[in-house]
Amino acid sequence: DGAVRFEDVRFGYDPDRLILKGIDLDVPAGGTLAVVGPSGAGKSTLARLMYRFYDPTGGRITIDGQDIATVRQASLRAAIGIVPQDTVLFNETIGYNVAYGRKGASADEIHRAASGAAIADFVATLPDGYDTRVGERGLKLSGGEKQRVAIARTLLKNPPILILDEATSALDSRTEAEIQETLERIERGRTTIVIAHRLSTVVHADRIVVLDAGRVVERGTHAELLRRG
Ligand code: ADP
Ligand code: ADP
């Protein structure tokens, strides 16, 4: 389960200025939908609506046919994991940041908590040497390591629905490729919405929609979109 649908979704931060102008999307359970488009198109806004940071001003969003406006906030947050582009970490240990508030979580505790997720994939998301650094404070992590912490944190709750909001776009291309590989493994079996601004990073997506100025302007597979230019 975890099928996501947007039906004629409209939204504006300012009610007089619509940012999303009637979005229809369909992500089958376990499938990967990529949303690409230029900066300002409304991609992050779409992610925020899924998590109910805001509610649509028109249309509706459903998970397995149920309008998310009727789902308890706690259930919604358990069902959806978001990895944002810029992760802000607490000035705390890796363990604390992965367990997100479970103070002083040890490597062992984090491992146990991750048992719902595939352990190997989970561990692959952690920064190198996290076993010894898990208790280290005053984090000096690289951008890539920070994103690994963010991914591990999201994976800890083993969400059936995953939203990757330009999760690797701030990284250098080698680090991006490394993390991309891990992400693609984690996406398997989960309903995933990947937000990206380059088509080249979403080759693996089942379907792609191109968003521009709050509207879907193209839909298709990666090969179809390339063929159309
Ligand atoms: P994208 O993710 O495609 O770059 P966004 O969803 O971030 O696009 O932004 C779409 C539009 O909404 C932009 O014009 C942006 O300035 C505006 N916007 C984004 N966040 C807010 C906000 N919190 N308040 C008001 N306007 C916003
Ligand atoms: P939990 O899922 O443990 O209840 P939250 O609901 O606070 O925790 O956050 C879940 C995920 O959403 C975290 O990975 C966090 O980084 C991300 N997140 C929180 N706030 C925002 C935001 N404003 N924009 C994008 N991502 C966010």
Side-chain angles (χ1 to χ4, degrees):
D1 55 0
V4 173
R5 258 178 101 97
F6 278 58
E7 298 168 14
D8 195 24
V9 169
R10 291 157 192 274
F11 175 75
Y13 295 95
D14 169 352
D16 295 334
R17 186 176 158 250
L18 280 187
I19 298 293
L20 298 179
K21 302 167 182 166
I23 302 290
D24 293 294
L25 297 177
D26 198 355
V27 198
T32 296
L33 174 81
V35 180
V36 302
S39 179
K43 304 182 298 296
S44 292
T45 300
L46 196 141
R48 290 179 200 131
L49 295 184
M50 281 257 10
Y51 217 55
R52 293 198 65 205
F53 289 125
Y54 303 94
D55 285 319
T57 45
R60 58 178 207 148
I61 302 170
T62 64
I63 297 177
D64 295 326
Q66 188 181 3
D67 190 331
I68 62 170
T70 69
V71 176
R72 280 187 315 124
Q73 190 77 335
S75 315
L76 192 67
R77 299 206 163 188
I80 302 174
I82 300 188
V83 182
Q85 176 175 1
D86 295 304
T87 300
V88 180
L89 299 180
F90 298 104
N91 184 24
E92 269 285 355
T93 62
I94 293 175
Y96 183 94
N97 278 287
V98 170
Y100 201 18
R102 287 206 269 132
K103 221 177 173 98
S106 68
D108 263 8
E109 283 165 333
I110 293 170
H111 260 107
R112 256 181 276 126
S115 60
I119 291 286
D121 283 344
F122 176 76
V123 170
T125 64
L126 292 166
D128 285 342
Y130 95 98
D131 274 320
T132 49
R133 292 169 67 196
V134 73
E136 208 174 283
R137 233 171 244 275
L139 293 166
K140 286 189 190 63
L141 298 181
S142 66
E145 288 178 322
K146 276 190 197 160
Q147 282 312 79
R148 287 183 183 281
V149 169
I151 294 161
R153 174 193 289 172
T154 299
L155 207 55
L156 197 58
K157 63 179 183 182
N158 202 20
I161 300 169
L162 196 58
I163 300 175
L164 307 174
D165 187 358
E166 308 217 31
T168 59
S169 62
L171 306 174
D172 64 82
S173 55
R174 199 212 295 179
T175 309
E176 177 172 38
E178 277 170 22
I179 294 186
Q180 194 70 34
E181 204 183 287
T182 309
L183 285 175
E184 287 175 24
R185 253 188 297 131
I186 290 165
E187 287 171 26
R188 278 180 214 141
R190 296 173 208 273
T191 308
T192 308
I193 299 176
V194 194
I195 295 171
H197 58 245
R198 278 180 292 122
L199 262 183
S200 59
T201 57
V202 293
V203 180
H204 67 292
D206 302 313
R207 308 177 194 188
I208 300 174
V209 301
V210 180
L211 202 65
D212 195 7
R215 293 181 202 281
V216 174
V217 294
E218 276 212 82
R219 297 172 192 269
T221 63
H222 186 263
E224 286 165 355
L225 293 185
L226 275 190
R227 224 176 297 132
R228 282 180 229 148

